[in-house]
């Protein structure tokens, strides 16, 4: 038994005006200080007030949000008693808002206890609207929640199917000013979701088409959105790609590049999209060396028009295409180019190996590193070759 879940998705110009059609009394806006400064938070607040809501704002979500932030937001919600939670921001804000929502509805729970198995009974108190201001994480279209355990320097992949937003609003005006570096980082996250959603062990007929389309959109539009931020078409198509990839991997699973990327993010604070995008071509090469017939790079390469005569060639062509895209948007291709020192990598290696091995995304890879293989992956990512 398996499921396909999607929020209601409103997309295209003027999508934000849909907020005025929401019904309810009290809305809690969850965002970060930067979006307050840009005036985006005030803009959303005005729309909600125009719809008759009393609005309270939690604007202190940090990047890689901690369990403490989730608890602080939930405490504020218990006080204010919102019937809508409106999350405005990148993946960090959207994930934090989902965790706050769960803890608001379930004060008996701790953040670490959020799990995909238990019935949560959400929506007795509130519903969730997600408004992304980056194009990549797809968090607006998934039930995944990534929180950081700050003391243990570990990212925790949590989540529950009920934590899928009720509504996702993709208004291109909110991503037009996204700086080039963040455009590239988050865009590569979307590509990694698309490729891993298509190739993970849990891929299925409902998600395959979404993943293929999202991958194609990223290859086509990310270089444009990166080099010319005011290119409205490229911005909108990247925004769509991110949500479509979110629906894809959110209803199948990500894989090894996310396991490695979460470990790197927790220990070295490499931004999520940069970390998983860097890991992606190495994991493609690694998985292609696994059991014959277990990968589907040929199908993906065919859809992306990458010439190949075998599954191995398809994997090589796909890894090369990812690296070419990364060069086009000036992304680091190695951990060394991320500014990580070899001595630091060695010192942290056992924690990286342990965290990547225990990550919830690693288990759905078509090839799971054994013995020294995880170390080999980190070393290859550091040096840029196997
Ligand atoms: Zn991701």
């Amino acid at each position: 038994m398996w499921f396909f879940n999607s929020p209601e998705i409103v997309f295209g110009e003027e999508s934000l005006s849909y907020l005025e059609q929401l019904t309810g009394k009290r809305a809690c806006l969850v965002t970060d200080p930067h979006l307050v400064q840009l005036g985006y938070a005030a803009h959303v607040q005005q729309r909600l007030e125009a719809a008759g809501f009393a609005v309270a704002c939690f604007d202190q979500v940090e990047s890689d949000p901690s369990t403490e932030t989730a608890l602080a937001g939930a405490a504020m919600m218990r006080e204010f008693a919102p019937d809508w939670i409106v999350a405005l921001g990148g993946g960090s804000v959207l994930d934090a808002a989902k965790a706050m929502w769960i803890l608001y509805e379930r004060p008996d729970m701790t953040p670490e206890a959020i799990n995909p198995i238990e019935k949560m009974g959400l929506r007795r108190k509130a519903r969730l609207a997600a408004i992304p201001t980056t194009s990549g994480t797809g968090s607006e279209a998934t039930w995944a929640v990534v929180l950081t355990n700050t003391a243990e320097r570990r990212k925790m992949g949590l989540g529950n199917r009920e934590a899928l937003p009720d509504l996702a609003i993709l208004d291109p005006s909110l991503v037009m000013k996204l700086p080039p570096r963040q455009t590239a980082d988050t865009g590569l996250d979307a590509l990694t979701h698309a490729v891993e959603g298509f190739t993970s062990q849990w891929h299925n007929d409902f998600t395959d088409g979404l993943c293929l389309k999202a991958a194609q959109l990223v290859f086509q539009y990310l270089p444009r959105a990166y080099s010319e931020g005011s290119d409205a078409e490229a911005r909108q198509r990247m925004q769509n790609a991110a949500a479509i990839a979110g629906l894809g991997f959110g209803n199948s699973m990500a894989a090894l590049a996310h396991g490695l990327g979460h470990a790197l993010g927790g220990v070295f604070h490499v931004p999520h999209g940069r970390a998983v995008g860097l890991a992606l071509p190495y994991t493609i090469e690694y998985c292609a060396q696994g059991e014959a017939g277990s990968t589907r790079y040929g199908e993906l390469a065919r859809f992306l028009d990458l010439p190949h005569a075998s599954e191995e060639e398809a994997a090589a062509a796909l890894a090369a295409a990812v690296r070419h895209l990364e060069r086009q948007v000036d992304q680091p291709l190695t951990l060394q180019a991320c500014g990580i020192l070899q001595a630091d990598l060695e010192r942290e290696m056992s924690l990286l190996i342990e965290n990547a091995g225990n990550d919830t995304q690693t288990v759905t890879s078509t090839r799971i590193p054994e013995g020294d293989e995880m170390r080999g992956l980190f070393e290859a990512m550091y040096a840029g070759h196997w």
Side-chain angles (χ1 to χ4, degrees):
M1 185 168 74
W2 198 234
F3 302 89
F4 183 90
N5 294 285
S6 172
E8 177 173 40
I9 298 175
V10 188
F11 60 97
E13 277 174 41
E14 291 300 321
S15 298
L16 263 189
S17 65
Y18 189 70
L19 284 174
E20 291 171 29
Q21 295 183 39
L22 297 188
T23 53
K25 291 192 172 71
R26 302 163 80 77
C28 184
L29 177 59
V30 179
T31 189
D32 66 36
H34 181 59
L35 294 165
V36 171
Q37 209 173 31
L38 282 174
Y40 291 2
H43 187 58
V44 166
Q45 181 160 351
Q46 282 155 16
R47 299 267 188 183
L48 289 165
E49 284 168 353
F53 282 93
V55 181
C57 187
F58 183 97
D59 60 9
Q60 291 302 315
V61 180
E62 72 278 39
S63 57
D64 298 337
S66 64
T67 49
E68 288 83 3
T69 298
L71 287 164
M76 181 189 153
M77 286 174 190
R78 279 198 291 279
E79 190 104 325
F80 182 67
D83 44 29
W84 272 97
I85 295 162
V86 179
L88 171 75
S92 294
V93 167
L94 305 190
D95 281 16
K98 290 175 193 172
M100 291 171 189
W101 178 32
I102 295 170
L103 301 171
Y104 164 49
E105 301 244 6
R106 291 288 304 269
D108 58 308
M109 277 202 120
T110 61
E112 291 83 359
I114 297 170
N115 69 82
I117 296 149
E118 198 174 323
K119 256 210 148 335
M120 294 279 169
L122 300 188
R123 298 179 172 76
R124 291 198 181 101
K125 294 179 179 171
R127 284 183 285 168
L128 177 67
I131 309 174
T133 58
T134 63
S135 298
T137 71
S139 183
E140 65 277 12
T142 76
W143 48 264
V145 179
V146 179
L147 293 181
T148 296
N149 181 321
T150 318
E152 293 174 17
R153 296 188 298 152
R154 183 167 62 90
K155 287 199 170 189
M156 301 180 295
L158 309 166
N160 182 283
R161 218 152 33 80
E162 293 175 49
L164 183 79
D166 294 277
L167 172 67
I169 298 179
L170 313 180
D171 191 314
S173 72
L174 296 173
V175 293
M176 292 301 293
K177 289 188 182 144
L178 191 64
R181 193 76 274 122
Q182 262 177 293
T183 300
D185 282 341
T186 52
L188 284 160
D189 191 23
L191 178 67
T192 309
H193 294 156
V195 172
E196 297 208 310
F198 188 80
T199 56
S200 85
Q201 284 193 46
W202 291 6
H203 69 80
N204 59 73
D205 289 348
F206 288 83
T207 55
D208 279 354
L210 293 164
C211 292
L212 289 174
K213 183 65 189 175
Q216 187 187 53
L217 286 170
V218 176
F219 276 114
Q220 193 170 351
Y221 291 102
L222 181 59
R224 277 172 55 181
Y226 172 76
S227 61
E228 187 55 63
S230 59
D231 183 335
E233 188 197 9
R235 289 294 198 184
Q236 191 170 349
R237 302 302 283 273
M238 278 305 299
Q239 197 174 37
N240 293 348
I244 293 167
L247 283 179
F249 96 97
N251 287 288
S252 57
M253 199 62 172
L256 187 55
H258 269 76
L260 298 168
H262 285 156
L264 290 167
V267 173
F268 290 119
H269 306 288
V270 182
H272 175 74
R274 194 176 307 169
V276 299
L278 191 157
L280 181 62
Y282 298 92
T283 63
I284 292 169
E285 289 160 349
Y286 172 78
C287 290
Q289 300 298 315
E291 194 186 330
S294 67
T295 57
R296 311 203 298 157
Y297 298 121
E299 273 185 72
L300 194 46
R302 203 155 41 246
F303 187 78
L304 296 171
D305 271 336
L306 302 171
H308 63 281
S310 66
E311 186 65 14
E312 291 73 35
E313 280 185 32
L318 185 61
V322 173
R323 289 194 176 103
H324 176 66
L325 176 67
E326 288 179 327
R327 281 191 200 96
Q328 282 180 295
V329 297
D330 305 311
Q331 284 288 93
L333 297 177
T334 66
L335 293 179
Q336 198 171 7
C338 281
I340 295 170
L341 301 175
Q342 188 149 27
D344 292 335
L345 181 71
E346 266 314 311
R347 197 186 59 242
E348 304 288 5
M349 187 61 92
S350 57
L351 182 62
L352 289 168
I353 291 171
E354 187 190 338
N355 288 355
N358 290 335
D359 195 90
T360 50
Q361 311 292 301
T362 297
V363 292
T364 45
S365 172
T366 52
R367 187 178 175 202
I368 298 170
E370 289 170 7
D372 274 347
E373 289 177 351
M374 196 67 95
R375 169 183 281 273
L377 273 156
F378 281 111
E379 285 174 350
M381 283 193 284
Y382 184 82
H385 57 79
W386 292 89

